[in-house]
Amino acid sequence: LNVPRRHPLCESFRRISRKQKHPARGVFDVVINYPYMYEATIPVFTRSLTNLVKIMEKAERHAKKRSQNPSAILKKRLYADMFNFTKQVQYSYFMALDVAGNLSGVPAPKYAYDEKSIAELKKSLKQVIKYLKSIKADDVKKYERKLMKTRIPVFFDVKQTLAPRDYVHNFALPNFFFHYVTAYDILRHYGVPIGKKDYLGPLTLPS
């Protein structure tokens, strides 16, 4: 983590380091948990899944203009051994739910992952977005002390666990964006007129 020397995170790092016998181990799991862990995940997922809903709406309009069934795209995939569009979307919102629940302690809603149409996928996404928006930075802050002592299971496998920082940066974020961009790529590959602006969404620039 590259931060200025006078940044408050650095002071926290020094304060914690003095208290730990092995300061190099687990220090950043404590230091960057709040607010950085919140900012790096919950708003990012919210924004990206919102963009995905809008992208899927464009896919619906594209199909209807051609008198096609919009849900035909659900079984499309980029390559034979890759997940289809439905699975890519499901894994995207699963990762967002998994991270949000693990970092905040706020129970995530349960899903059957059995959507059969674009409309059902959009409904699930909108419910996930609503849940993500309900989680505030303070929720992560309040859960911070427990996270200091926690290792998070990878896909619920208690035999394979990661420290919170590694879980977020080396597993959750890469997984989320892998499935999100693959869902985008499937739609683009099959002719939906979308581009990088749709993937990124509107940018909030300083005035």
Side-chain angles (χ1 to χ4, degrees):
L1 183 64
N2 184 18
V3 293
R5 290 186 177 182
R6 294 187 178 180
H7 194 283
L9 289 183
C10 287
E11 180 54 34
S12 297
F13 176 88
R14 287 189 288 270
R15 185 169 59 252
I16 294 168
S17 295
R18 287 193 292 267
K19 294 181 180 180
Q20 292 189 346
K21 182 178 292 186
H22 301 289
R25 296 179 57 188
V27 169
F28 283 113
D29 293 326
V30 178
V31 174
I32 70 170
N33 192 18
Y34 170 81
Y36 182 80
M37 292 289 260
Y38 171 85
E39 294 295 343
T41 55
I42 309 301
V44 174
F45 297 144
T46 302
R47 176 185 176 85
S48 296
L49 293 181
T50 299
N51 293 342
L52 184 53
V53 170
K54 293 178 180 178
I55 288 170
M56 291 166 66
E57 289 172 346
K58 280 196 171 185
E60 285 182 302
R61 293 194 294 271
H62 177 75
K64 289 175 180 177
K65 282 182 180 179
R66 288 156 178 74
S67 301
Q68 299 171 347
N69 178 7
S71 294
I73 197 69
L74 298 184
K75 295 183 179 180
K76 301 295 184 182
R77 59 189 78 213
L78 286 181
Y79 199 73
D81 64 354
M82 295 180 71
F83 285 142
N84 61 28
F85 180 79
T86 298
K87 285 291 185 185
Q88 302 295 349
V89 174
Q90 289 170 341
Y91 268 99
S92 296
Y93 77 71
F94 163 76
M95 288 309 310
L97 289 171
D98 195 50
V99 173
N102 280 319
L103 294 187
S104 70
V106 179
K110 304 294 184 183
Y111 290 88
Y113 301 98
D114 59 353
E115 296 93 346
K116 299 289 190 268
S117 67
I118 288 281
E120 290 180 2
L121 276 176
K122 289 196 305 177
K123 181 180 179 180
S124 294
L125 286 172
K126 289 177 181 179
Q127 290 172 342
V128 173
I129 291 167
K130 182 178 180 180
Y131 162 72
L132 293 174
K133 287 183 176 180
S134 74
I135 296 175
K136 308 303 179 186
D138 279 349
D139 293 321
V140 178
K141 182 180 181 181
K142 291 174 184 176
Y143 205 61
E144 181 178 14
R145 188 168 296 279
K146 183 174 181 179
L147 277 178
M148 293 178 190
K149 306 172 184 177
T150 298
R151 292 186 65 82
I152 301 174
V154 175
F155 288 132
F156 306 108
D157 183 358
V158 295
K159 295 181 180 179
Q160 185 178 7
T161 62
L162 295 170
R165 176 178 177 270
D166 293 330
Y167 163 77
V168 167
H169 292 285
N170 299 335
F171 173 72
L173 286 172
N175 259 282
F176 173 83
F177 282 108
F178 175 87
H179 293 293
Y180 171 40
V181 75
T182 304
Y184 166 91
D185 287 341
I186 290 172
L187 295 181
R188 190 70 191 96
H189 179 71
Y190 285 95
V192 178
I194 50 179
K196 187 181 290 186
K197 288 184 178 180
D198 299 289
Y199 176 82
L200 295 176
L203 299 178
T204 303
L205 300 176
S207 57

